[in-house]
Every structure is written in structure tokens, then in C-alpha cells.
Amino acid sequence: MNPVIGLDVSKGESHAQAFSDRGTPYGKTFRFEHNLEGLASFLRFAQSLESFTGRRPAIVLEATGHYHSPVIQFLNEHQYLYIVINPLLSHQAKKLNLRKVKTDVADAYQLGEMFYKEELEPYKKRGQYLMNLRYLTRQHESLTEIYVQVKLQFQAVLDQVFPEYHGVFGDLYSKVSLRLLAQYPTSQSVLALSEENVTAIIKRLVGHVKSNQWSLERAQKLMAAAERNPFRETAFPSHLISLELFIHLLLQYQEHLTKLDKSIETLAEELMEYDLIQSIPGIGTKIAATILAEVGEIDRFDHAKKLVAFAGIDPSVFSSGKFTATRNKITKRGSRRLRTALYQAVRCGLKGSRNKRIRAYYDKKRAEGKLFKVAVIACVNRLIHWIYAILTKKEPFRLTE
């Protein structure tokens, strides 16, 4: 016998359908919640199937974001072999059925049948570092997106209160700049102070990092900006409330992102591949961590082309009758975060010809008449092959072929 349990996972609960062998269902589909009591009932069910067949069953389930995380952790703790499949595969399998049925019970049954029809490979448990790294890099991405939106809203309000403030500091979003603006958000509040007072305030905000001369120069720039500003006071006091709120949010997000950066770097440094990936010019610490987190265990892919498909860089194929499309877009069906990180790595490598091999390949594609984006995607494809070779061979990148 070859037992298997198909699990249709949803938020907070799952439906399970067991098979003792191909075409032989074991019992009826049952539902259990993702709590201690529910998981314990599932364990008893799996153990009863194991007693009946004499073999420990494999578990088949779809990747469902974070919903399947408690189930995966539970299966790891009890040392069950599990297979996590791409939802696209199960969707394609459902389309082969003549009847269109979409229920949790039917989905669990379908997953069990797929185990016997398809050559599904066991899902190799990722190490604690890789899983934590993935969670942290994704959280960093989410926070960064929110941070960028707050920056845009902050600039819109600043342009209506103190537009000349933009040129006072080299970095408008530095802690000194934001804290000073929080105290003196209008031209009138700045001009009420003397140059000496402004210099002392900036010096106090900076601490001992900058010289007195640097603080004096910033004070002079601030006073000049206040003189040039088109309005002394804002006509809308609500703008000052919004400005204070946005400054507070920006400082908080900066603090959170800094902590995440340190945590990501600490975790990534435990992985040998972290330095190997960074041997490719154009790949820095953040991009390297994202690539490792999204790829996970490299031995999940037995060929570089599978990693290309996982990143969604492989070209789509359209053919019907005698017609075969010659201009096909990439599928974009894989990991969006991995695809974005690879694209950024190529752009960084091309900038200033930092990566001479990627630059030469890009120039070759452009000479062939390829458009900019087409050439860059070709470079991303080439980069994935290099990354696959580095991770499988455990050897650093070589600038000369």
C-alpha cells in the first residue's frame, strides 16, 4: 500500500481526505481546525491510516501563503513527509475533470489523487535560518512600501508649508532634518530665532557626529530658506498637524527598518551562500538576502531552467494550428520578490559597468536589435544561471569566463 492524505488548507482550518492506495479512499473527508485540539485529531487520523496500511502516509497540500504554516510546523514536529505543490499545478489538474466542482472536500480529494498521477517530490524542510530570513525580508519589503507612501504624503504637505526647506540638508529624511522640522515647521518659527540659537539647536540634535562648522552652515541655509519661503505661516493649521504626524511616522519606520536590516544581516551571515552570492558585482547585502530567502534550498531545482521558471522569467508559449507566436512575454508566474531582486541586481551590475560580464551580454543583445527591457530580461535569465551554478557548486563568481 502507498497511503497519502490530501489537505485543502484555508484560513484557520483544513479539510483532509485519505487514501490507503491508488483509487482507494480511506474514510470520509473531515475538517479540523488549526488549534491544539484540531491538530491532535488530525494526528490520530493519520496514525490510524498508518496502522491500517503499515506505512506512514505522505501529506499533500497546496502553498497557501501563511495559512499552511501551523500545519507545516506540526508535520515537522511529528516527522511526517509532506509535499507542498504550486497552486497552478492543482488548478491545471482540476481543469481536466469534466465536471466543474469547487469545494473544500473536492479539493482535498483532488490533492490526494494528484499524488498518484503526478511525480511529486517531497518538500524538503527549509532550515530555520532560511525560513526566518524569508519572513524578515518580506516584512522589510512591506514596511518599505508603506514608508515610501508616507514620504510622498509628507512631501505634499511640506510643499504647502515650507517648500524651501528641501535644500537645507543633504538628506531631507535624516533624523536631524526631521526632528528640526518638527520643532520649527514654518518660516516664522525659524526667523524668530537668531543664527546662534539655530546653530546650537542643530548641534544639540547632531551630537558630536558633526563639527560646529557643519552646524553653522546648516543654520545659515535654514535662515536663508526661511527668508525665501513664499509664506511665513500656513493658511491651514491642519497642515501642521499632518506634518507632525508624518514626521513621527517617518522616524518610527526608519527605526523599524534599521532593526530589520540588522536582523536580516545577522541571519544571512550564518549562511555560506550569502558571501558567495555577493561575489557577483551588483548584488549587495539586501539583494543577496532576498535571493537566498526566496530561492530557499537550491536542491529543490535539478536544473537552472527550473529556477528560471520559479522566478517567472521563462517566456510564455503560444501555438495554435499553424500559428506559433514569435514574440512572447515572460510568464511572471513565479516569485515576484525574487524576480524584482534579480532585476535590481542586473540594473546595479549595468550601472557604471560594475559587472563586466553582464554589461558585455547586454551590449550583445542590444547590438542584435533587442529593446532595452528585452535585453535586461535576457541578462536576468543569464544571472539566474550564474546563481544556480554558484549555489550548487559552492564556488564564487568569476568575472572572466
Side-chain angles (χ1 to χ4, degrees):
M1 292 185 176
N2 188 14
V4 66
I5 300 176
L7 282 185
D8 182 67
V9 182
S10 55
K11 184 177 181 180
E13 64 177 25
S14 293
H15 285 75
Q17 174 63 58
F19 292 80
S20 59
D21 208 344
R22 184 186 183 104
T24 310
Y26 177 81
K28 296 181 179 180
T29 304
F30 76 98
R31 183 185 69 86
F32 64 92
E33 296 183 355
H34 297 167
N35 53 33
L36 289 176
E37 184 179 352
L39 291 170
S41 67
F42 171 73
L43 179 61
R44 289 192 296 271
F45 179 79
Q47 289 172 342
S48 69
L49 177 60
E50 182 177 354
S51 298
F52 179 76
T53 61
R55 288 184 60 182
R56 173 163 283 207
I59 315 295
V60 181
L61 64 156
E62 283 183 345
T64 55
H66 63 280
Y67 293 152
H68 68 275
S69 294
V71 179
I72 293 297
Q73 185 172 340
F74 181 80
L75 294 174
N76 280 329
E77 289 175 357
H78 292 85
Q79 299 180 343
Y80 273 91
L81 174 70
Y82 57 90
I83 301 168
V84 180
I85 65 172
N86 191 313
L88 288 172
L89 294 177
S90 58
H91 178 68
Q92 291 297 327
K94 292 170 192 173
K95 288 169 66 176
L96 296 177
N97 292 331
L98 292 177
R99 295 184 62 201
K100 186 175 182 180
V101 180
K102 174 65 181 81
T103 65
D104 294 334
V105 173
D107 289 346
Y109 196 97
Q110 179 71 43
L111 289 169
E113 288 189 326
M114 279 189 66
F115 175 78
Y116 300 105
K117 293 178 181 178
E118 306 286 342
E119 293 182 359
L120 302 176
E121 294 184 2
Y123 186 85
K124 296 190 176 180
K125 183 174 64 177
R126 293 181 177 175
Q128 184 179 1
Y129 286 110
L130 285 174
M131 289 300 294
N132 285 331
L133 193 59
R134 169 175 283 197
Y135 290 136
L136 288 177
T137 53
R138 290 187 174 185
Q139 186 178 4
H140 190 284
E141 181 193 32
S142 299
L143 276 180
T144 301
E145 290 176 355
I146 300 173
Y147 178 62
V148 170
Q149 291 301 315
V150 175
K151 286 170 72 174
L152 293 174
Q153 294 174 306
F154 163 77
Q155 286 191 30
V157 176
L158 182 61
D159 288 342
Q160 300 174 70
V161 177
F162 201 162
E164 290 297 324
Y165 188 83
H166 281 273
V168 175
F169 291 88
D171 181 7
L172 174 63
Y173 301 99
S174 68
K175 288 182 173 59
V176 175
S177 172
L178 292 175
R179 288 170 179 165
L180 181 64
L181 185 61
Q183 294 181 38
Y184 306 98
T186 64
S187 295
Q188 187 178 52
S189 61
V190 172
L191 294 174
L193 303 170
S194 65
E195 184 178 289
E196 291 77 12
N197 286 337
V198 176
T199 303
I201 292 168
I202 294 176
K203 180 62 180 175
R204 185 172 67 252
L205 290 173
V206 173
H208 300 288
V209 180
K210 300 289 185 179
S211 64
N212 291 329
Q213 181 63 30
W214 186 90
S215 299
L216 175 60
E217 290 173 358
R218 299 288 85 70
Q220 291 172 344
K221 283 188 175 184
L222 179 60
M223 300 294 287
E227 290 286 354
R228 295 193 308 269
N229 206 50
F231 21 79
R232 292 290 182 263
E233 282 289 339
T234 177
F236 303 96
S238 59
H239 287 341
L240 297 180
I241 297 174
S242 298
L243 196 65
E244 182 181 3
L245 172 63
F246 289 138
I247 290 174
H248 181 67
L249 287 174
L250 288 170
L251 289 171
Q252 276 195 328
Y253 282 127
Q254 287 178 2
E255 183 180 354
H256 294 325
L257 288 171
T258 299
K259 288 181 179 178
L260 280 175
D261 283 332
K262 291 180 180 178
S263 298
I264 289 171
E265 187 172 357
T266 300
L267 276 174
E269 285 177 347
E270 297 291 330
L271 302 170
M272 176 188 67
E273 295 86 351
Y274 185 56
D275 290 331
L276 291 176
I277 288 289
Q278 290 183 73
S279 66
I280 302 177
I283 295 183
T285 54
K286 287 183 179 179
I287 294 179
T290 301
I291 290 173
L292 288 177
E294 293 301 320
V295 171
E297 299 285 359
I298 191 60
D299 55 5
R300 294 193 298 145
F301 310 95
D302 57 13
H303 196 281
K305 289 184 178 180
K306 290 189 177 181
L307 183 56
V308 171
F310 179 73
I313 303 298
D314 54 324
S316 56
V317 178
F318 183 82
S319 178
S320 180
K322 295 182 179 180
F323 173 77
T324 300
T326 56
R327 299 182 65 179
N328 299 316
K329 297 181 179 179
I330 59 175
T331 61
K332 292 187 179 181
R333 285 195 167 189
S335 169
R336 174 183 59 82
R337 294 176 177 85
L338 176 59
R339 188 164 56 251
T340 301
L342 293 167
Y343 183 83
Q344 292 173 343
V346 168
R347 294 299 303 273
C348 291
L350 291 174
K351 188 176 181 180
S353 297
R354 189 179 304 174
N355 189 329
K356 292 181 172 55
R357 285 179 64 180
I358 209 72
R359 165 56 71 176
Y361 190 70
Y362 170 81
D363 291 341
K364 175 187 174 184
K365 290 299 176 182
R366 292 290 279 168
E368 293 173 358
K370 304 295 185 184
L371 297 175
F372 169 76
K373 285 188 176 180
V374 176
V376 171
I377 292 301
C379 292
V380 171
N381 195 310
R382 178 59 62 92
L383 177 62
I384 294 176
H385 282 76
W386 291 342
I387 290 173
Y388 181 81
I390 287 172
L391 294 179
T392 52
K393 297 178 181 178
K394 303 294 188 292
E395 296 177 357
F397 178 75
R398 296 192 301 271
L399 275 174
T400 57
E401 296 188 64

